[in-house]
Amino acid sequence: MLQKNDSAPNFTLYATPDQKISLSEMIGKNVILAFYPADWSPVCSDQMALYNETLKYFKQYDAEIFGISVDSKWCHMAFGKSRNLHFPLLADFEPKGAVAKAYGVYDEAEGECKRALFVINKRGIVEWSYVSPAAINPGADGILDALEKIKK
């Protein structure tokens, strides 16, 4: 798993059926990557809903959040619409889990992303990372603490 001061590997993933997002496009902004196991699972639904409610706080730190799982862009679109999410969900679908593997948070046994968080600064350097047990919503406190430290 990537740790503080590691360079965040660039990636390009689908955010919608016809739009891709690259991490390199975010240079100059703080970035939160929230890897999660699967759309529609109860814990993932709660976690993404929490981040949706926390967006205004993330924006205060000039931060963009992206959810990432191995679900397809179509699955993400349906999940995001059903939960009224206002941030992109990125499909680490093909090759399956390639970005999660690059960040060291792919669960080979389950074939899905681990529940992991990364806060990346405006220069593309990891400031904070955390892996939560799959059944536990890690909340937003660690993210906000990391963003506050970047701000100082």
Side-chain angles (χ1 to χ4, degrees), residues 81-109:
K81 279 187 178 179
S82 77
R83 299 296 190 264
N84 199 27
L85 298 178
H86 297 287
F87 62 91
L89 301 175
L90 305 179
D92 194 8
F93 184 72
E94 184 62 36
K96 185 178 181 184
V99 174
K101 290 173 185 172
Y103 281 73
V105 294
Y106 185 74
D107 185 334
E108 295 283 349

Side-chain angles (χ1 to χ4, degrees), residues 18-125:
D18 58 359
Q19 179 194 17
K20 291 183 175 181
I21 291 178
S22 296
L23 181 63
S24 61
E25 297 169 15
M26 298 298 133
I27 293 295
K29 288 187 169 268
N30 296 311
V31 173
I32 303 155
L33 300 180
F35 289 88
Y36 63 99
D39 292 342
W40 309 105
S41 80
V43 177
C44 297
S45 296
D46 289 349
Q47 183 183 8
M48 294 304 118
L50 172 67
Y51 297 155
N52 202 46
E53 296 300 317
T54 317
L55 284 176
K56 64 183 174 188
Y57 299 106
F58 298 155
K59 297 284 184 193
Q60 291 174 359
Y61 293 99
D62 195 22
E64 298 289 333
I65 185 168
F66 300 97
I68 301 177
S69 79
V70 298
D71 294 295
S72 75
K73 54 193 174 188
W74 298 103
C75 189
H76 279 332
M77 193 168 79
F79 178 66
K81 279 187 178 179
S82 77
R83 299 296 190 264
N84 199 27
L85 298 178
H86 297 287
F87 62 91
L89 301 175
L90 305 179
D92 194 8
F93 184 72
E94 184 62 36
K96 185 178 181 184
V99 174
K101 290 173 185 172
Y103 281 73
V105 294
Y106 185 74
D107 185 334
E108 295 283 349
E110 297 293 329
E112 58 193 24
C113 299
K114 294 180 181 177
R115 191 175 308 285
L117 301 169
F118 293 88
V119 173
I120 300 166
N121 69 23
K122 296 177 179 184
R123 294 173 288 119
I125 305 297

